[in-house]
Amino acid sequence: MANLKEIRNRIASVSSTMQITSAMKMVSAAKLKKAQDAITAMRPYANKLTELLQNLSASLDGDEGSKFADNRAVNKVLVVAITSNRGLCGAFNTNIIKQSTVLLEDTYAGKQVDFLAIGKRGNDILGKKGNVIANHSQVFDELSFDNVALIAQDLMNHFTEGNYDRIELVYNKFKNAATQIVMSEQFLPIVPVEGDTSGAADYIFEPSKPEIVEQLIPKSLKTQLYKAVRDSFASEHGARMTAMHKATDNATELRDQLKLTYNKARQAAITNEILEIVGGAEALNN
């Protein structure tokens, strides 16, 4: 059995760790509320804009078709992996890395697959698996639509210039603090709406349809990427809060076990001392 000093040191170490994880849990909980409100408020607008975009794309004639809806033979793929800048958030980053690896080694096996990382964790790990053309981890320092729009514009330029035939987004969709859903969705080319598209003919276009397409599609794509980043940001804080909650509970349990071990060792030491004293007294009496 470890001596009393070693056990005391372990108790102090575990207690210190428990204080850190508890503080991190509270910080993430505070940030989660703001991030959750932001993505909840944004989703209806983003979803409706995407629906409108898909209906509009389905109604376009060939001569006025958008350059962002050009379905080419897929030879070059860009995977946009949205992770976090820091760890200690459970399987949050690991799930994104796994899904990105599936796209690289399975879905698009035999194709040229490059990565664009949004987040330091993704950049560090994916850089060992493939080619990372850019890392935009600084976007989380000041998360705003304008900053994300610059990344979306860069992605649109890559597609229209023919650098890539398809661009995929991989991110965690926020469901609640304990649940994040790994999403892999096509960013470009635009996915047309499925099923009956006759409803698109009911739109009255003012100004002309091509002018609306020219303005609406870039805005919709920027909004789509911003929603994905916002989803990931909220998911990160939810995952970290959950992970730190579990870590705090585990540290509390370990500390209690160590205290019990310490008390047993201390009791055994006291009993031995009493026996030695009694033994010494008996020896003197004899």
Side-chain angles (χ1 to χ4, degrees):
M1 182 179 291
N3 61 46
L4 293 177
K5 183 178 180 181
E6 290 176 348
I7 298 176
R8 281 199 305 268
N9 289 340
R10 289 191 64 189
I11 291 174
S13 176
V14 171
S15 297
S16 177
T17 301
M18 186 177 66
Q19 290 177 349
I20 294 172
T21 56
S22 179
M24 292 181 67
K25 172 191 170 184
M26 290 187 288
V27 170
S28 292
K31 291 182 177 180
L32 173 62
K33 181 63 171 63
K34 184 177 179 181
Q36 182 177 353
D37 290 344
I39 187 59
T40 302
M42 181 184 179
R43 273 180 183 164
Y45 170 77
N47 292 339
K48 192 63 181 178
L49 188 60
T50 300
E51 178 186 344
L52 179 62
L53 171 65
Q54 291 176 335
N55 282 323
L56 183 60
S57 298
S59 70
L60 292 175
D61 299 327
D63 57 346
E64 63 183 10
S66 170
K67 56 188 176 181
F68 300 115
D70 183 15
N71 277 290
R72 305 187 288 260
V74 179
N75 295 311
K76 296 176 290 184
V77 180
L78 179 62
V79 176
V80 182
I82 306 175
T83 60
S84 67
N85 286 340
R86 298 184 296 131
L88 298 178
C89 46
F92 175 83
N93 292 314
T94 303
N95 290 336
I96 299 300
I97 300 302
K98 285 182 178 178
Q99 182 59 35
S100 299
T101 304
V102 168
L103 293 177
L104 171 66
E105 299 177 352
D106 187 7
T107 307
Y108 297 111
K111 313 290 186 182
Q112 176 189 327
V113 180
D114 294 335
F115 297 105
L116 185 144
I118 300 180
K120 292 180 181 177
R121 292 290 174 171
N123 179 64
D124 294 343
I125 300 176
L126 291 175
K128 301 175 183 178
K129 296 178 177 290
N131 178 39
V132 178
I133 65 170
N135 176 28
H136 295 282
S137 58
Q138 75 284 352
V139 74
F140 291 113
D141 297 336
E142 187 177 349
L143 185 54
S144 66
F145 178 81
D146 291 338
N147 289 337
V148 176
L150 295 175
I151 304 174
Q153 186 61 55
D154 187 41
L155 295 176
M156 286 186 277
N157 292 340
H158 277 302
F159 182 77
T160 56
E161 292 169 5
N163 297 332
Y164 296 100
D165 303 312
R166 180 167 295 176
I167 298 178
E168 297 266 0
L169 300 182
V170 181
Y171 64 97
N172 282 292
K173 181 180 180 180
F174 178 81
K175 183 176 181 181
N176 54 52
T179 306
Q180 300 82 39
I181 304 171
V182 179
M183 300 294 293
S184 178
E185 63 185 38
Q186 184 173 311
F187 183 67
L188 285 169
I190 297 170
V191 180
V193 66
E194 297 180 356
D196 184 16
T197 59
S198 58
D202 294 335
Y203 290 127
I204 298 175
F205 297 99
E206 179 63 35
S208 65
K209 188 187 295 185
E211 290 181 75
I212 292 177
V213 169
E214 185 178 349
Q215 297 181 28
L216 179 62
I217 290 182
K219 181 177 182 179
S220 177
L221 290 171
K222 292 174 183 178
T223 302
Q224 182 183 351
L225 181 61
Y226 184 55
K227 182 179 75 72
V229 174
R230 271 290 179 189
D231 255 317
S232 180
F233 189 64
S235 297
E236 175 192 348
H237 290 302
R240 181 170 290 111
M241 186 185 75
T242 302
M244 291 302 98
H245 175 73
K246 292 180 179 178
T248 302
D249 288 346
N250 291 338
T252 302
E253 182 180 351
L254 179 57
R255 183 194 61 181
D256 293 342
Q257 292 176 352
L258 287 171
K259 283 185 176 181
L260 181 61
T261 302
Y262 175 80
N263 290 333
K264 288 182 177 179
R266 185 167 176 270
Q267 187 178 29
I270 293 173
T271 301
N272 288 335
E273 290 177 1
I274 292 174
L275 291 175
E276 289 175 359
I277 292 173
V278 172
E282 290 292 334
L284 290 175
N285 291 333
N286 293 332

Coordinates of all heavy atoms in Angstrom, one line a residue, residues 74-158:
V74 N -16.5 14.1 -61.5 CA -15.8 14.3 -60.2 C -14.4 13.7 -60.3 O -14.3 12.5 -60.2 CB -16.6 13.8 -59.0 CG1 -15.8 14.0 -57.8 CG2 -18.0 14.5 -59.0
N75 N -13.4 14.5 -60.4 CA -12.0 14.1 -60.3 C -11.2 14.7 -59.2 O -10.3 14.1 -58.6 CB -11.3 14.4 -61.7 CG -11.9 13.6 -62.8 OD1 -12.1 12.4 -62.7 ND2 -12.2 14.2 -63.9
K76 N -11.6 15.9 -58.9 CA -10.9 16.7 -57.8 C -11.9 17.2 -56.8 O -12.9 17.8 -57.1 CB -10.2 17.9 -58.4 CG -9.0 17.5 -59.4 CD -8.4 18.7 -60.0 CE -9.3 19.4 -61.0 NZ -8.6 20.5 -61.7
V77 N -11.7 16.8 -55.5 CA -12.6 17.1 -54.5 C -11.9 17.9 -53.4 O -10.8 17.6 -53.0 CB -13.2 15.8 -53.9 CG1 -14.2 16.1 -52.8 CG2 -13.9 14.9 -55.0
L78 N -12.6 18.8 -52.8 CA -12.2 19.6 -51.7 C -13.1 19.3 -50.5 O -14.3 19.6 -50.6 CB -12.1 21.1 -52.0 CG -11.6 22.0 -50.8 CD1 -10.2 21.7 -50.5 CD2 -11.8 23.5 -51.2
V79 N -12.5 18.9 -49.4 CA -13.3 18.6 -48.2 C -13.0 19.7 -47.2 O -11.8 19.9 -46.8 CB -12.9 17.2 -47.6 CG1 -13.6 17.0 -46.3 CG2 -13.2 16.1 -48.6
V80 N -14.0 20.4 -46.8 CA -13.9 21.5 -45.8 C -14.2 20.9 -44.4 O -15.4 20.5 -44.1 CB -14.9 22.6 -46.1 CG1 -14.7 23.7 -45.0 CG2 -14.6 23.2 -47.5
A81 N -13.2 20.7 -43.6 CA -13.4 20.0 -42.3 C -13.5 21.1 -41.2 O -12.5 21.9 -41.0 CB -12.2 19.1 -42.0
I82 N -14.6 21.2 -40.5 CA -14.8 22.2 -39.5 C -14.6 21.6 -38.1 O -15.4 20.8 -37.7 CB -16.2 22.9 -39.6 CG1 -16.4 23.4 -41.0 CG2 -16.3 24.0 -38.6 CD1 -17.8 24.0 -41.2
T83 N -13.5 21.9 -37.5 CA -13.2 21.4 -36.1 C -13.0 22.6 -35.2 O -13.4 23.7 -35.4 CB -11.9 20.5 -36.2 OG1 -10.8 21.3 -36.6 CG2 -12.1 19.3 -37.1
S84 N -12.4 22.3 -34.0 CA -12.2 23.4 -33.0 C -10.7 23.7 -33.0 O -9.8 23.0 -33.5 CB -12.7 22.9 -31.6 OG -11.8 21.8 -31.2
N85 N -10.4 24.8 -32.3 CA -9.0 25.2 -32.1 C -8.4 24.5 -30.9 O -7.2 24.4 -30.7 CB -8.9 26.7 -31.9 CG -9.1 27.4 -33.3 OD1 -8.9 26.8 -34.3 ND2 -9.4 28.7 -33.2
R86 N -9.2 24.0 -30.0 CA -8.7 23.4 -28.7 C -9.4 22.1 -28.5 O -10.4 21.7 -29.1 CB -9.1 24.3 -27.5 CG -8.4 25.7 -27.6 CD -8.8 26.5 -26.3 NE -10.2 26.8 -26.2 CZ -10.9 26.5 -25.1 NH1 -10.3 26.0 -24.0 NH2 -12.2 26.8 -25.0
G87 N -8.7 21.3 -27.7 CA -9.2 19.9 -27.4 C -10.1 19.9 -26.1 O -10.8 20.9 -25.8
L88 N -10.0 18.8 -25.4 CA -10.8 18.6 -24.2 C -12.3 18.7 -24.5 O -13.1 19.4 -23.7 CB -10.4 19.6 -23.1 CG -8.9 19.4 -22.6 CD1 -8.6 20.5 -21.5 CD2 -8.7 18.0 -22.0
C89 N -12.8 18.2 -25.6 CA -14.2 18.3 -25.9 C -14.7 16.9 -26.4 O -15.5 16.8 -27.4 CB -14.5 19.3 -27.0 SG -13.4 19.4 -28.4
G90 N -14.2 15.9 -25.8 CA -14.7 14.5 -26.1 C -14.3 14.1 -27.5 O -13.2 14.3 -28.0
A91 N -15.3 13.5 -28.2 CA -15.1 12.9 -29.5 C -15.4 13.9 -30.6 O -15.5 13.6 -31.8 CB -15.9 11.7 -29.7
F92 N -15.6 15.2 -30.2 CA -16.0 16.2 -31.2 C -15.1 16.3 -32.4 O -15.6 16.2 -33.5 CB -16.0 17.6 -30.5 CG -16.3 18.8 -31.3 CD1 -17.6 19.1 -31.6 CD2 -15.3 19.5 -31.9 CE1 -17.9 20.2 -32.5 CE2 -15.6 20.6 -32.7 CZ -16.9 20.9 -33.0
N93 N -13.8 16.5 -32.2 CA -12.9 16.6 -33.3 C -12.6 15.2 -34.0 O -12.5 15.1 -35.2 CB -11.6 17.2 -32.9 CG -11.7 18.6 -32.5 OD1 -12.4 19.4 -33.2 ND2 -11.2 19.0 -31.3
T94 N -12.6 14.2 -33.2 CA -12.3 12.8 -33.7 C -13.3 12.4 -34.7 O -13.0 11.8 -35.8 CB -12.3 11.8 -32.5 OG1 -11.3 12.2 -31.6 CG2 -11.9 10.4 -33.1
N95 N -14.6 12.7 -34.5 CA -15.7 12.3 -35.4 C -15.5 13.0 -36.7 O -15.8 12.4 -37.8 CB -17.0 12.6 -34.8 CG -17.4 11.7 -33.6 OD1 -16.9 10.6 -33.5 ND2 -18.2 12.2 -32.7
I96 N -15.1 14.3 -36.7 CA -14.9 15.0 -38.0 C -13.7 14.4 -38.8 O -13.8 14.3 -40.0 CB -14.7 16.5 -37.7 CG1 -15.9 17.1 -37.0 CG2 -14.4 17.3 -39.0 CD1 -17.2 17.0 -37.8
I97 N -12.7 14.1 -38.0 CA -11.5 13.5 -38.7 C -11.8 12.2 -39.3 O -11.4 11.8 -40.4 CB -10.3 13.3 -37.7 CG1 -9.9 14.7 -37.0 CG2 -9.1 12.7 -38.3 CD1 -9.5 15.7 -38.0
K98 N -12.6 11.4 -38.6 CA -13.0 10.0 -39.1 C -13.9 10.2 -40.4 O -13.6 9.5 -41.4 CB -13.8 9.3 -38.1 CG -13.0 8.7 -36.9 CD -13.9 7.9 -35.9 CE -13.0 7.3 -34.8 NZ -13.9 6.6 -33.8
Q99 N -14.8 11.1 -40.4 CA -15.7 11.3 -41.5 C -14.9 11.8 -42.7 O -15.1 11.4 -43.9 CB -16.8 12.2 -41.2 CG -17.8 12.5 -42.3 CD -18.5 11.2 -42.8 OE1 -18.7 10.3 -42.0 NE2 -18.7 11.1 -44.1
S100 N -14.0 12.7 -42.5 CA -13.1 13.3 -43.5 C -12.2 12.2 -44.1 O -12.0 12.1 -45.3 CB -12.2 14.4 -43.0 OG -13.0 15.5 -42.5
T101 N -11.8 11.3 -43.3 CA -10.9 10.2 -43.7 C -11.8 9.2 -44.6 O -11.2 8.6 -45.6 CB -10.3 9.4 -42.5 OG1 -9.6 10.3 -41.7 CG2 -9.4 8.3 -43.0
V102 N -13.0 9.0 -44.2 CA -13.9 8.2 -45.0 C -14.1 8.7 -46.4 O -14.0 8.0 -47.4 CB -15.3 8.0 -44.3 CG1 -16.3 7.4 -45.3 CG2 -15.2 7.2 -43.1
L103 N -14.2 10.0 -46.5 CA -14.4 10.7 -47.8 C -13.1 10.5 -48.6 O -13.1 10.3 -49.8 CB -14.7 12.2 -47.7 CG -16.0 12.5 -47.1 CD1 -16.2 14.0 -46.9 CD2 -17.2 12.0 -47.9
L104 N -11.9 10.6 -47.9 CA -10.6 10.5 -48.6 C -10.4 9.1 -49.1 O -10.0 8.9 -50.2 CB -9.5 10.9 -47.6 CG -8.1 10.7 -48.1 CD1 -7.7 11.5 -49.3 CD2 -7.1 11.0 -46.9
E105 N -10.6 8.1 -48.2 CA -10.2 6.7 -48.5 C -11.3 5.8 -49.1 O -11.0 4.8 -49.6 CB -9.6 6.1 -47.2 CG -8.4 6.8 -46.7 CD -7.9 6.2 -45.4 OE1 -8.7 5.3 -44.8 OE2 -6.9 6.7 -44.9
D106 N -12.5 6.2 -48.9 CA -13.6 5.4 -49.4 C -14.5 6.0 -50.4 O -14.5 5.6 -51.6 CB -14.5 5.0 -48.1 CG -15.6 4.0 -48.5 OD1 -15.5 3.4 -49.6 OD2 -16.4 3.7 -47.6
T107 N -15.2 7.1 -50.0 CA -16.2 7.7 -51.0 C -15.5 8.2 -52.2 O -16.1 8.0 -53.3 CB -16.9 8.9 -50.3 OG1 -17.4 8.4 -49.0 CG2 -18.0 9.4 -51.1
Y108 N -14.4 8.9 -52.1 CA -13.7 9.4 -53.3 C -12.3 8.7 -53.5 O -11.4 9.4 -53.9 CB -13.5 10.9 -53.1 CG -14.8 11.7 -53.1 CD1 -15.3 12.3 -51.9 CD2 -15.7 11.7 -54.2 CE1 -16.5 13.0 -51.9 CE2 -16.9 12.4 -54.2 CZ -17.3 13.0 -53.0 OH -18.5 13.7 -52.9
A109 N -12.3 7.4 -53.2 CA -11.1 6.7 -53.4 C -10.6 6.8 -54.9 O -11.5 6.6 -55.8 CB -11.2 5.2 -53.0
G110 N -9.4 7.0 -55.1 CA -8.9 7.1 -56.5 C -9.0 8.5 -57.1 O -8.5 8.8 -58.2
K111 N -9.6 9.4 -56.4 CA -9.7 10.8 -56.8 C -8.7 11.7 -56.1 O -8.1 11.3 -55.1 CB -11.1 11.4 -56.5 CG -12.3 10.5 -56.9 CD -12.4 10.4 -58.4 CE -13.7 9.5 -58.8 NZ -13.9 9.4 -60.2
Q112 N -8.5 12.9 -56.6 CA -7.7 13.8 -55.9 C -8.5 14.5 -54.8 O -9.5 15.2 -55.1 CB -7.1 14.9 -56.9 CG -6.3 16.0 -56.1 CD -5.9 17.1 -57.1 OE1 -5.7 17.0 -58.2 NE2 -5.9 18.3 -56.5
V113 N -8.2 14.3 -53.6 CA -8.9 14.8 -52.5 C -8.0 15.7 -51.6 O -7.0 15.2 -51.1 CB -9.5 13.7 -51.6 CG1 -10.3 14.3 -50.4 CG2 -10.4 12.8 -52.4
D114 N -8.3 17.0 -51.5 CA -7.6 17.9 -50.7 C -8.5 18.4 -49.5 O -9.7 18.2 -49.6 CB -7.1 19.1 -51.5 CG -6.1 18.8 -52.5 OD1 -5.4 17.8 -52.3 OD2 -6.0 19.5 -53.5
F115 N -7.9 19.0 -48.5 CA -8.6 19.5 -47.4 C -8.5 21.0 -47.2 O -7.4 21.5 -47.5 CB -8.2 18.8 -46.1 CG -8.4 17.3 -46.1 CD1 -7.3 16.4 -46.2 CD2 -9.6 16.7 -45.9 CE1 -7.5 15.0 -46.2 CE2 -9.8 15.4 -45.9 CZ -8.7 14.5 -46.0
L116 N -9.5 21.6 -46.7 CA -9.4 22.9 -46.2 C -9.9 22.9 -44.8 O -11.0 22.5 -44.5 CB -10.3 23.9 -47.1 CG -10.2 25.4 -46.7 CD1 -10.3 26.3 -47.9 CD2 -11.3 25.8 -45.7
A117 N -9.1 23.3 -43.9 CA -9.4 23.2 -42.4 C -9.9 24.5 -41.9 O -9.3 25.6 -42.1 CB -8.1 22.7 -41.7
I118 N -11.0 24.4 -41.1 CA -11.4 25.5 -40.3 C -11.3 25.0 -38.8 O -12.2 24.3 -38.3 CB -12.9 25.9 -40.6 CG1 -13.0 26.3 -42.1 CG2 -13.4 27.0 -39.7 CD1 -14.4 26.7 -42.5
G119 N -10.2 25.3 -38.2 CA -9.9 24.8 -36.9 C -8.5 24.2 -36.8 O -8.1 23.5 -37.7
K120 N -7.8 24.5 -35.7 CA -6.4 24.0 -35.6 C -6.3 22.5 -35.5 O -5.4 21.9 -36.0 CB -5.8 24.6 -34.4 CG -5.5 26.1 -34.5 CD -4.9 26.7 -33.3 CE -4.7 28.2 -33.4 NZ -4.1 28.8 -32.2
R121 N -7.3 21.9 -34.8 CA -7.2 20.4 -34.6 C -7.3 19.7 -35.9 O -6.6 18.7 -36.2 CB -8.3 20.0 -33.7 CG -8.2 20.5 -32.2 CD -7.0 19.8 -31.6 NE -6.7 20.4 -30.3 CZ -5.9 19.9 -29.4 NH1 -5.2 18.8 -29.7 NH2 -5.6 20.5 -28.2
G122 N -8.2 20.1 -36.8 CA -8.4 19.5 -38.1 C -7.1 19.7 -38.9 O -6.7 18.8 -39.6
N123 N -6.6 20.9 -38.9 CA -5.4 21.2 -39.7 C -4.2 20.3 -39.2 O -3.5 19.7 -40.1 CB -5.0 22.6 -39.5 CG -3.7 23.0 -40.2 OD1 -3.7 23.0 -41.5 ND2 -2.7 23.4 -39.5
D124 N -4.0 20.1 -37.9 CA -2.9 19.3 -37.4 C -3.0 17.9 -37.8 O -2.0 17.3 -38.2 CB -2.8 19.5 -35.9 CG -2.5 20.9 -35.5 OD1 -2.0 21.7 -36.3 OD2 -2.7 21.2 -34.3
I125 N -4.2 17.3 -37.7 CA -4.3 15.8 -37.9 C -4.5 15.5 -39.4 O -3.8 14.6 -39.9 CB -5.5 15.3 -37.1 CG1 -5.3 15.5 -35.6 CG2 -5.7 13.8 -37.4 CD1 -6.4 15.1 -34.8
L126 N -5.3 16.3 -40.1 CA -5.5 16.0 -41.5 C -4.3 16.3 -42.4 O -4.1 15.7 -43.4 CB -6.7 16.8 -42.1 CG -8.1 16.5 -41.5 CD1 -9.1 17.4 -42.0 CD2 -8.4 15.0 -41.9
G127 N -3.4 17.2 -41.8 CA -2.2 17.5 -42.6 C -1.3 16.2 -42.6 O -0.4 16.2 -43.5
K128 N -1.5 15.3 -41.7 CA -0.7 14.0 -41.8 C -1.3 13.0 -42.7 O -0.7 12.0 -43.0 CB -0.6 13.5 -40.4 CG 0.1 14.4 -39.4 CD 0.1 13.9 -38.0 CE 0.7 14.8 -37.0 NZ 0.6 14.3 -35.6
K129 N -2.6 13.2 -43.0 CA -3.3 12.2 -43.9 C -3.4 12.6 -45.3 O -3.5 11.8 -46.2 CB -4.7 12.0 -43.3 CG -4.8 11.5 -41.9 CD -6.3 11.4 -41.5 CE -6.4 10.7 -40.1 NZ -6.0 9.3 -40.1
G130 N -3.3 13.9 -45.6 CA -3.4 14.4 -47.0 C -3.0 15.8 -47.1 O -2.3 16.4 -46.2
N131 N -3.4 16.5 -48.2 CA -2.9 17.8 -48.5 C -3.9 18.8 -48.0 O -5.1 18.8 -48.4 CB -2.7 18.0 -50.0 CG -2.3 19.4 -50.4 OD1 -1.5 20.0 -49.7 ND2 -2.9 19.9 -51.5
V132 N -3.5 19.7 -47.1 CA -4.4 20.8 -46.5 C -4.0 22.1 -47.2 O -2.9 22.6 -47.1 CB -4.2 20.9 -45.0 CG1 -5.1 22.1 -44.5 CG2 -4.6 19.7 -44.3
I133 N -4.9 22.6 -48.1 CA -4.5 23.8 -48.9 C -4.6 25.1 -48.1 O -4.0 26.1 -48.5 CB -5.4 23.9 -50.1 CG1 -6.9 24.1 -49.7 CG2 -5.3 22.6 -51.0 CD1 -7.8 24.4 -50.9
A134 N -5.4 25.1 -47.0 CA -5.5 26.3 -46.2 C -6.1 26.0 -44.8 O -6.7 25.0 -44.6 CB -6.4 27.3 -46.9
N135 N -5.8 26.8 -43.9 CA -6.3 26.7 -42.5 C -6.8 28.0 -42.1 O -6.1 29.0 -42.0 CB -5.2 26.2 -41.5 CG -5.7 26.2 -40.1 OD1 -6.8 26.0 -39.8 ND2 -4.8 26.4 -39.2
H136 N -8.1 28.0 -41.7 CA -8.8 29.3 -41.3 C -9.2 29.2 -39.9 O -10.4 29.6 -39.5 CB -10.0 29.5 -42.2 CG -9.7 29.8 -43.7 ND1 -9.2 31.0 -44.1 CD2 -9.7 29.0 -44.8 CE1 -9.0 30.9 -45.4 NE2 -9.3 29.7 -45.8
S137 N -8.3 28.8 -39.0 CA -8.6 28.7 -37.6 C -8.9 30.0 -36.9 O -9.6 30.1 -35.9 CB -7.5 28.0 -36.9 OG -6.3 28.7 -37.0
Q138 N -8.4 31.1 -37.5 CA -8.6 32.4 -36.9 C -10.0 32.9 -37.0 O -10.4 33.9 -36.3 CB -7.6 33.5 -37.6 CG -8.1 33.9 -39.0 CD -7.9 32.9 -40.1 OE1 -7.2 31.9 -39.9 NE2 -8.3 33.1 -41.3
V139 N -10.8 32.2 -37.8 CA -12.2 32.7 -37.9 C -13.0 32.6 -36.5 O -13.9 33.4 -36.3 CB -13.0 31.9 -39.0 CG1 -13.3 30.5 -38.5 CG2 -14.3 32.6 -39.4
F140 N -12.5 31.7 -35.7 CA -13.2 31.5 -34.4 C -12.8 32.6 -33.4 O -13.4 32.8 -32.3 CB -12.8 30.2 -33.8 CG -13.5 29.0 -34.5 CD1 -12.7 28.1 -35.2 CD2 -14.9 28.9 -34.5 CE1 -13.3 27.1 -35.9 CE2 -15.5 27.8 -35.2 CZ -14.7 26.9 -35.9
D141 N -11.7 33.4 -33.7 CA -11.3 34.5 -32.8 C -12.3 35.6 -32.8 O -12.6 36.3 -31.8 CB -9.9 35.1 -33.3 CG -8.8 34.0 -33.1 OD1 -9.0 33.1 -32.3 OD2 -7.8 34.1 -33.8
E142 N -13.0 35.8 -34.0 CA -14.1 36.8 -34.1 C -15.1 36.2 -35.1 O -15.0 36.5 -36.3 CB -13.5 38.1 -34.6 CG -14.6 39.2 -34.6 CD -14.0 40.6 -35.0 OE1 -12.8 40.7 -35.0 OE2 -14.8 41.5 -35.2
L143 N -16.0 35.4 -34.6 CA -16.9 34.6 -35.5 C -18.0 35.6 -36.0 O -18.8 36.0 -35.2 CB -17.5 33.4 -34.8 CG -18.4 32.5 -35.6 CD1 -17.7 32.0 -36.8 CD2 -18.9 31.3 -34.7
S144 N -18.0 35.9 -37.2 CA -19.0 36.8 -37.8 C -19.3 36.3 -39.2 O -18.5 35.6 -39.9 CB -18.5 38.2 -37.8 OG -17.4 38.4 -38.7
F145 N -20.4 36.8 -39.8 CA -20.8 36.4 -41.1 C -19.8 36.9 -42.1 O -19.4 36.2 -43.1 CB -22.2 37.0 -41.4 CG -22.6 36.7 -42.8 CD1 -23.2 35.5 -43.2 CD2 -22.5 37.7 -43.9 CE1 -23.6 35.2 -44.5 CE2 -22.9 37.4 -45.1 CZ -23.5 36.1 -45.5
D146 N -19.3 38.1 -41.9 CA -18.3 38.7 -42.9 C -17.0 37.9 -43.0 O -16.5 37.7 -44.1 CB -18.0 40.2 -42.5 CG -19.2 41.1 -42.7 OD1 -20.1 40.8 -43.5 OD2 -19.2 42.2 -42.0
N147 N -16.6 37.4 -41.9 CA -15.3 36.6 -41.9 C -15.5 35.3 -42.5 O -14.7 34.8 -43.3 CB -14.8 36.4 -40.4 CG -14.3 37.7 -39.8 OD1 -13.9 38.6 -40.6 ND2 -14.3 37.8 -38.5
V148 N -16.7 34.6 -42.3 CA -17.0 33.4 -42.9 C -17.2 33.5 -44.4 O -16.9 32.7 -45.2 CB -18.2 32.7 -42.2 CG1 -18.5 31.4 -42.9 CG2 -17.8 32.4 -40.7
A149 N -17.9 34.7 -44.7 CA -18.2 34.9 -46.2 C -16.9 35.0 -47.0 O -16.9 34.6 -48.2 CB -18.9 36.2 -46.3
L150 N -15.8 35.4 -46.4 CA -14.5 35.5 -47.2 C -14.1 34.0 -47.5 O -13.6 33.8 -48.6 CB -13.5 36.2 -46.4 CG -13.7 37.7 -46.1 CD1 -12.6 38.2 -45.2 CD2 -13.7 38.4 -47.4
I151 N -14.3 33.1 -46.6 CA -13.9 31.7 -46.8 C -14.8 31.1 -47.9 O -14.4 30.4 -48.8 CB -14.0 30.9 -45.5 CG1 -13.1 31.5 -44.5 CG2 -13.6 29.4 -45.8 CD1 -13.3 30.8 -43.1
A152 N -16.2 31.4 -47.8 CA -17.1 30.9 -48.8 C -16.8 31.5 -50.2 O -16.9 30.7 -51.2 CB -18.5 31.3 -48.4
Q153 N -16.4 32.7 -50.3 CA -16.0 33.3 -51.6 C -14.8 32.6 -52.1 O -14.7 32.3 -53.4 CB -15.7 34.8 -51.4 CG -15.5 35.5 -52.7 CD -16.7 35.4 -53.7 OE1 -17.8 35.8 -53.3 NE2 -16.5 34.9 -54.9
D154 N -13.9 32.2 -51.3 CA -12.7 31.5 -51.7 C -13.1 30.1 -52.3 O -12.5 29.7 -53.3 CB -11.7 31.4 -50.6 CG -10.4 30.8 -51.0 OD1 -9.9 31.1 -52.1 OD2 -9.8 29.9 -50.2
L155 N -14.0 29.5 -51.6 CA -14.5 28.2 -52.1 C -15.2 28.3 -53.4 O -15.0 27.4 -54.3 CB -15.4 27.5 -51.0 CG -14.8 27.2 -49.7 CD1 -15.9 26.7 -48.7 CD2 -13.8 26.1 -49.8
M156 N -16.0 29.3 -53.5 CA -16.7 29.5 -54.8 C -15.7 29.8 -56.0 O -15.9 29.3 -57.1 CB -17.7 30.7 -54.7 CG -18.9 30.4 -53.9 SD -20.2 31.7 -53.8 CE -19.5 32.7 -52.5
N157 N -14.7 30.5 -55.7 CA -13.7 30.8 -56.7 C -13.0 29.5 -57.1 O -12.7 29.3 -58.3 CB -12.6 31.8 -56.2 CG -13.2 33.2 -56.0 OD1 -14.3 33.5 -56.6 ND2 -12.6 34.0 -55.2
H158 N -12.7 28.6 -56.1 CA -12.0 27.4 -56.5 C -12.9 26.5 -57.4 O -12.4 25.9 -58.3 CB -11.8 26.6 -55.2 CG -10.5 27.0 -54.5 ND1 -9.3 26.9 -55.1 CD2 -10.3 27.4 -53.2 CE1 -8.3 27.3 -54.2 NE2 -8.9 27.6 -53.1

